Amino acid sequence: MAKLNTLNLPKSLRWRVNWRALYKLTKPKVVALIVLTSVVGACLATSGLPPWQALLLGNLGIALMAGGAAAFNHYIDSEADAAMARTHNRPLPSGAVANWQAVLWASLLSLAGFGLLYLWVNPLTAWLTAASLVGYAVIYTLWLKRATPQNIVIGGLAGAMPPLLGWTAVNNSISAEPLLLVMLIFTWTPPHFWALAIARRDEYAKVNIPMLPVTHGIRFTKQLVLLYSLLLFAVAWLPFLVGMSGLLYLGLSCLLNARFMWLAWRLYGGDNQRDAMRLFGYSIVYLMLLFVALLADHWLFALL
């Protein structure tokens, strides 16, 4: 665990800023996927075009706070990252960014995002986004990640919130429809991360992070990945079953889930490293295309 009692301040502060490294601290690819799901939530919140202020400023605020949460995650995990081959070149372990710079950057992004949401969108979205930030950067990264092999399952709720945040940015209220989208991402999260954890089991064991393959073995984790993939297939039907989406989404989601299930089955009986990374990579594409399918179906029915 990172030493949280120090910001690793040098004797003479290095004020030179490596903006590229600071940008990497925000995990831009992850934030892009977060923003996509929040944009879809915003668009599904209304039958027409969502108000530009809610759509643009709302998602900008969500993106800023997501980037801030990612930077806090980098800081808290910096020592573990330094010991893992997958992460040792990240900005903090490599020395491209000082600890104090990472904390300051994370704080500025988070405060800017919260202020933007609170003042120009609505307080509900601001507080829900703040709760997601605390859930991911503090409860998950600082505590759950090192406390239980169910860290991904419990902590996954924070990462599943963006569709709800996009919805509340437009409607300023919580309803059942966006919660179904939250459930969708919540169910997707365990097989997504456990696939990576299977491929990187030895690295997680090295830094004493109790990911499921470390504590319960790879075989058991593969079984849960397969079971969660079946559950994901069922949950992905819910938007159609409640009338949120139509046949276009249903067809595309079935195709995407069939591929997900096939890769999960391949992992169950195949090579730990290769098949796990194949499922991990596809799971990102899966979530992106599934939400694009939701949006395409929504606009199709809006035009008819």
Side-chain angles (χ1 to χ4, degrees), residues 70-100:
F72 278 124
N73 172 267
H74 272 281
Y75 168 64
I76 296 169
D77 273 349
S78 60
E79 288 191 5
D81 286 345
M84 298 174 67
R86 182 176 66 90
T87 56
H88 74 279
N89 282 324
R90 284 179 171 177
L92 283 170
S94 66
V97 175
N99 284 351
W100 69 270

Side-chain angles (χ1 to χ4, degrees), residues 72-137:
F72 278 124
N73 172 267
H74 272 281
Y75 168 64
I76 296 169
D77 273 349
S78 60
E79 288 191 5
D81 286 345
M84 298 174 67
R86 182 176 66 90
T87 56
H88 74 279
N89 282 324
R90 284 179 171 177
L92 283 170
S94 66
V97 175
N99 284 351
W100 69 270
Q101 290 176 319
V103 172
L104 179 60
W105 177 239
S107 301
L108 290 174
L109 288 174
S110 302
L111 290 172
F114 182 84
L116 190 155
L117 291 173
Y118 192 93
L119 295 174
W120 286 291
V121 182
N122 58 65
L124 176 62
T125 304
W127 286 114
L128 285 175
T129 309
S132 299
L133 185 153
V134 172
Y136 174 70

Side-chain angles (χ1 to χ4, degrees), residues 43-48 244-245 293-303:
C43 291
L44 265 59
T46 176
S47 57
M244 281 182 67
S245 60
L294 277 166
L295 188 57
D297 184 278
H298 174 74
W299 289 124
L300 176 66
F301 276 84
L303 292 173

